Amino acid sequence: MTALTLSTAGAATLRADAIVVGVAKGARGPVVAPGAEAVDTAFDGKLAAVLETLGATGAEGEVTKLPSPSGIKAPVVLAVGLGTAPEQGGAFAAETLRRAAGTASRVLAGAKKAAFSLPIEASEDAEAIAEGALLGAYAFTAYQSGDRKDAKAPLAEVALLGAKPRDKAYKAAAERALAVTEELNRARDLINTPPNGLTPEIFANLAAAAGKEHGLKVQILDEKALVKGGFGGIAGVGQGSENPPRLVKLTYTHSKDAKTLALVGKGITYDSGGISLKPAGHNETMKCDMSGAAAVFAAVIAVARLGLAVNVTGWLALAENMPSGTAIRPGDVLRMYSGKTVEVLNTDAEGRLVLADALWKASEEKPDAIVDVATLTGAMVVALGNRTFGVMSNDEAFRTAIHETAEEVGEQSWPMPLPADLRKGMDSPTADIANMGERMGGGLVAGLFLQEFVGEGITWAHLDIAGPAFHESAPFGYTPKGGTGSSVRTLVRLAERIAAGDLG
């Protein structure tokens, strides 16, 4: 786990393996960003010129390594691009700093200590840099023997220069960055864990252990309790697997008078598609189909660590979707926990079935708001791409608030509608509703299905994170290849806003 320190040392005098500075795109070439003054002085004021000679432009994500000149104790200077320089009097955006720090952290894998001397004008900048550096220093190595020659340990320590260790705002920013990134990286670990290492039972036990460690109340319903309790969706999806389903409830209570936010996560620990089997090429990464539950789990723990003035419950709907002689079939009808019946037209539309039960159970407690998170539909990826999650809601103001919250923390999202005309496509001649509707607008159809299982009068939103939950291309910024922890930061910030009274 990467350590974080706030240092008052100067960039030239701190002992570290490397010092990270920023370079931006100016009108006439690269310009050195604030924070790099001491390093620039050591280069006789010619750092920008040296970088330009080496081909650096200051473009976002660009990295240039230089040997340090006399006068700097760190042997290496790493200049990371920040993109276009802000106008005079302006500042770099938090996400720009976050991504730059993440890029530098990734490049410095294998180093013991790096000093980050990027632009800091306020504690919010320090927090963004800390978050980026800590998230960029992530690696999943649990299943590697240690014999790989290309394997490098993550950067061991991040020293943040320009921050103020004795200032309350800066100390709080560092503590928040640590809590959020450590829990987000916990979610990444879960997402990256192979399905034989993370069954519903194992996931439930891990959640219970972490919950108890952080003072949460933990309740787990096993397969017998789910059947007895009438959870037809979760039990139905899980009945085809030798690894039975679970429903986990994590409760963080601040006070009776505080607002209550319920978070519901889809936790399909492996999704083969069931009898509606996925074709080759579409099931190799389906260990990530529990990313929603991982995000909810991580967010609730982070909220508890931060001691926020809001009550939060996290519901993890855990199951494995497998084909077998006991699996549900296309054409079967399930009676859900709400009492509604669902005709299963496609067993690969299983996420909405487990979420439906969890949503209704969460609704029984009458929370002020419910947010569900799921890798729910390929249609949402088609609509928004691999880096943006969709936001749907029965309350336009709440949908806007979540979209704005995501933007604030640097997560890409987009508000999506719930067109009433698409509901008719889920009419069933046999049951109350079918689990499939029109093919076009499939992501919206899934949202409309979930809305049927939200208690009356409860504000609800649905985050479809199918695109950004699992990154299969080359790493960028602080985003690694594999599980990303998408939506964790949005959920934590949403809880903070509710605690502060920003959302009514």
Side-chain angles (χ1 to χ4, degrees), residues 379-393 395-396 398-408 410-418 443-444 461-468 486-487 490:
M380 195 58 62
V381 186
V382 172
L384 298 178
N386 291 316
R387 297 189 183 184
T388 304
F389 62 78
V391 184
M392 286 157 265
S393 179
D395 184 298
E396 187 173 344
F398 192 52
R399 183 185 67 179
T400 299
I402 291 177
H403 173 53
E404 291 173 348
T405 300
E407 282 192 332
E408 180 185 347
E411 295 202 276
Q412 294 174 220
S413 72
W414 197 252
M416 301 294 283
L418 289 170
L444 312 183
H462 161 57
L463 312 186
D464 190 337
I465 62 170
S486 175
S487 79
T490 297

Side-chain angles (χ1 to χ4, degrees), residues 331-336 340-345 423 426-435:
D332 281 355
V333 173
L334 303 177
R335 186 172 296 277
M336 312 297 282
K340 281 188 178 181
T341 55
V342 176
E343 183 181 9
V344 180
L345 297 181
R423 169 60 181 84
M426 290 184 283
D427 286 349
S428 165
T430 308
D432 295 325
I433 189 172
N435 77 328

Side-chain angles (χ1 to χ4, degrees), residues 86-109:
E87 295 182 5
Q88 189 172 2
F92 289 96
E95 180 63 5
T96 297
L97 299 175
R98 195 179 287 115
R99 289 192 181 190
T103 297
S105 261
R106 286 191 296 101
V107 171
L108 291 170

